[in-house]
Amino acid sequence: MPFSLISTEDRQSLPNGIEDAYPLTRLQLGMIFHSEYAPSTAVYHDVMSYFVQAPLNIQILHSAIKEIIARHPVLRTSISLNQFSQSLQLVHSQVTIDLPVDDISSFLLDEQEKIIATWIEQDKKSPFVWDKTPLLRFHLHQRSGNTFNLTLSCHHAILDGWSVATLMTELLQQYLFLLGEKVLPLKKAPSITFRDYVALEQAALKS
């Protein structure tokens, strides 16, 4: 049940708009420690940029991103390190996510690559704020009318490699579906979420 992994005192201290809260895993705590210990290295700040060949409709793509964010609690999570009796991750009911766009279609291909590479290095210098949602962001570089780079920037504490692959698959599938392409809509959201993994780890630690 929501909030079943935290104390009554912590639950009563939660801000409005929180639909669940639970401890961080040991692995998450380790990643955050290293991020705080060496902030200038951008350790565990992951940036993945995908070259996509498809019709570009920025409004529909933004809508697809919002649907995916609403679909997965971990994408609506912030981290509170010292406001409660233990470090907690808070799942927000609603999260606002932007989709900034850079139109680089007037540049040659090699110049486009350099622009995107430079942007990625700059993004790594903008660390995530633990208690601000979301702990991921998207950026769009428009290359032409039907090619673009969609870049996902996130902290590794909320997404691992397989999760990123699943996220991008769902996102592009939903985008194409909303465009009217012949692809299937997304199935129901997974019944097992990250909180279930946290619960299993908590039970193991107490055993």
Side-chain angles (χ1 to χ4, degrees), residues 54-56 105 142-148:
L56 176 57
S105 58
Q142 182 176 353
R143 289 177 176 262
S144 68
N146 62 351
T147 57
F148 56 91

Side-chain angles (χ1 to χ4, degrees), residues 131-151:
D131 60 356
K132 303 294 183 184
T133 56
L135 295 177
L136 78 162
R137 48 184 175 251
F138 289 92
H139 196 95
L140 184 66
H141 286 92
Q142 182 176 353
R143 289 177 176 262
S144 68
N146 62 351
T147 57
F148 56 91
N149 263 67
L150 181 61
T151 303

Side-chain angles (χ1 to χ4, degrees), residues 63-201:
S63 295
I65 290 173
K66 292 176 183 177
E67 290 185 26
I68 298 301
I69 297 295
R71 178 179 170 87
H72 296 288
V74 73
L75 304 181
R76 293 180 276 110
T77 295
S78 66
I79 294 173
S80 178
L81 294 178
N82 49 28
Q83 292 179 312
F84 301 94
S85 63
Q86 59 179 324
S87 296
L88 295 178
Q89 40 195 333
L90 313 181
V91 180
H92 297 248
S93 301
Q94 294 184 333
V95 167
T96 300
I97 186 163
D98 298 322
L99 180 60
V101 180
D102 288 337
D103 186 348
I104 57 174
S105 58
S106 62
F107 295 91
L108 298 175
L109 182 61
D110 288 346
E111 294 172 322
Q112 291 179 350
E113 294 292 338
K114 291 178 182 178
I115 291 171
I116 294 171
T118 299
W119 183 92
I120 289 174
E121 291 308 310
Q122 289 298 319
D123 183 77
K124 291 181 179 180
K125 297 177 182 178
S126 300
F128 293 97
V129 180
W130 305 119
D131 60 356
K132 303 294 183 184
T133 56
L135 295 177
L136 78 162
R137 48 184 175 251
F138 289 92
H139 196 95
L140 184 66
H141 286 92
Q142 182 176 353
R143 289 177 176 262
S144 68
N146 62 351
T147 57
F148 56 91
N149 263 67
L150 181 61
T151 303
L152 166 65
S153 177
C154 67
H155 195 274
H156 197 41
I158 66 163
L159 289 172
D160 63 5
W162 187 254
S163 302
V164 168
T166 303
L167 166 63
M168 295 307 299
T169 299
E170 288 190 359
L171 173 57
L172 293 175
Q173 178 183 346
Q174 186 64 6
Y175 173 59
L176 292 174
F177 173 75
L178 293 176
L179 279 179
E181 301 290 337
K182 294 182 179 180
V183 296
L184 295 175
L186 292 177
K187 298 179 180 179
K188 291 183 179 180
S191 58
I192 297 176
T193 65
F194 191 65
R195 81 171 320 277
D196 297 294
Y197 173 78
V198 174
L200 288 170
E201 182 180 85

